[in-house]
Amino acid sequence: GENVGLHLPTLSVQEGDNSIINCAYSNSASDYFIWYKQESGKGPQFIIDIRSNMDKRQGQRVTVLLNKTVKHLSLQIAATQPGDSAVYFCAEGPPQDDYKLSFGAGTTVTVRA
Amino acid sequence: DTEVTQTPKHLVMGMTNKKSLKCEQHMGHRAMYWYKQKAKKPPELMFVYSYEKLSINESVPSRFSPECPNSSLLNLHLHALQPEDSALYLCASGRGNTDTQYFGPGTRLTVL
């Protein structure tokens, strides 16, 4: 089946720097994408989402970029803080399936003080 | 309120035990989900309920039995589990229609 994947399994970032987490997807018909943050011992927490009719969406300190031409999704975190240390998952919602999300493998972000 | 609650937080059970995991949401979501998550892996979908009816069963062994008593509650009944079933069990809810799924904190299950 179609899978959502991540380019890097780990990312180490200096506190205060910007982080960029990347995700590639293969289903060109997918029309909905979500980023989740999962801290140790907790469930995934919704961060931000984007639909395929957009190429950029901003939240508080986070920006999601969608490049449909190359089927690439990224999450940018501005001024990374220690509390941003977590595993980040991208997820893809294919339009033909009303319920299923396909998750990427996840990127572990570690913030260095 | 985007909260999904799960109980218990931790559960240790033997292979002959019967136990249940519980999930509750009050966001009026029509879809509720059970996921299994192993360490350092993404969540794997197990079951989906839509309007209190089971709509997806991802070929889960019958020792896992879901139940949706009403639109706010979702249970997962466990019986004769194996040690390899030890994992974090996550409940989620959403509006469906490829919309956001909101996850609970999970139940950390250990099967001895």
Side-chain angles (χ1 to χ4, degrees):
Chain A
E2 303 287 357
N3 291 313
V4 179
L6 285 169
H7 293 305
L8 291 174
T10 60
L11 179 66
S12 181
V13 182
Q14 184 68 40
E15 182 179 357
D17 287 353
N18 296 335
S19 304
I20 299 177
I21 307 166
N22 295 306
C23 182
Y25 64 95
S26 54
N27 186 351
S28 56
S30 293
D31 67 355
Y32 183 59
F33 303 87
I34 310 171
W35 281 100
Y36 288 96
K37 171 187 180 184
Q38 188 172 23
E39 297 176 81
S40 181
K42 297 184 178 180
Q45 175 189 2
F46 170 82
I47 303 174
I48 193 167
D49 59 2
I50 190 167
R51 297 214 176 259
S52 59
N53 61 351
M54 303 172 72
D55 52 22
K56 180 180 179 178
R57 192 162 187 226
Q58 287 185 290
Q60 190 170 8
R61 278 202 311 120
V62 294
T63 300
V64 55
L65 299 177
L66 176 62
N67 186 330
K68 294 181 285 293
T69 303
V70 295
K71 291 183 284 190
H72 182 267
L73 186 71
S74 68
L75 178 71
Q76 299 177 1
I77 305 174
T80 311
Q81 302 169 359
D84 295 327
S85 293
V87 180
Y88 290 81
F89 293 102
C90 62
E92 167 191 15
Q96 68 273 22
D97 194 309
D98 204 19
Y99 303 104
K100 282 191 186 180
L101 292 178
S102 297
F103 284 86
T107 293
T108 300
V109 173
T110 303
V111 181
R112 305 189 305 272
Chain B
D1 181 11
T2 56
E3 188 178 24
V4 176
T5 59
Q6 290 187 245
T7 55
K9 194 171 172 63
H10 300 277
L11 179 62
V12 179
M13 60 187 291
M15 289 189 283
T16 58
N17 292 157
K18 283 185 183 182
K19 297 286 185 184
S20 297
L21 309 185
K22 296 187 183 299
C23 174
E24 189 167 3
Q25 59 91 10
H26 294 288
M27 294 176 277
H29 289 162
R30 69 178 176 100
M32 295 187 75
Y33 310 78
W34 279 116
Y35 286 85
K36 172 182 178 180
Q37 186 178 28
K38 290 284 209 179
K40 301 190 186 303
K41 297 289 186 184
E44 299 172 31
L45 184 65
M46 299 174 73
F47 302 104
V48 180
Y49 273 81
S50 176
Y51 293 113
E52 303 166 45
K53 288 186 168 49
L54 183 65
S55 63
I56 295 177
N57 176 341
E58 290 287 282
S59 303
V60 179
S62 60
R63 57 186 185 268
F64 295 92
S65 175
E67 178 197 18
C68 189
N70 61 54
S71 59
S72 301
L73 295 174
L74 188 66
N75 299 323
L76 186 62
H77 303 298
L78 314 171
H79 174 54
L81 294 193
Q82 304 296 310
E84 59 266 28
D85 296 321
S86 298
L88 181 67
Y89 287 84
L90 294 161
C91 175
S93 72
R95 288 182 286 265
N97 294 323
T98 58
D99 209 338
T100 304
Q101 292 179 23
Y102 295 93
F103 286 83
T107 293
R108 175 69 60 188
L109 174 68
T110 303
V111 182
L112 300 176

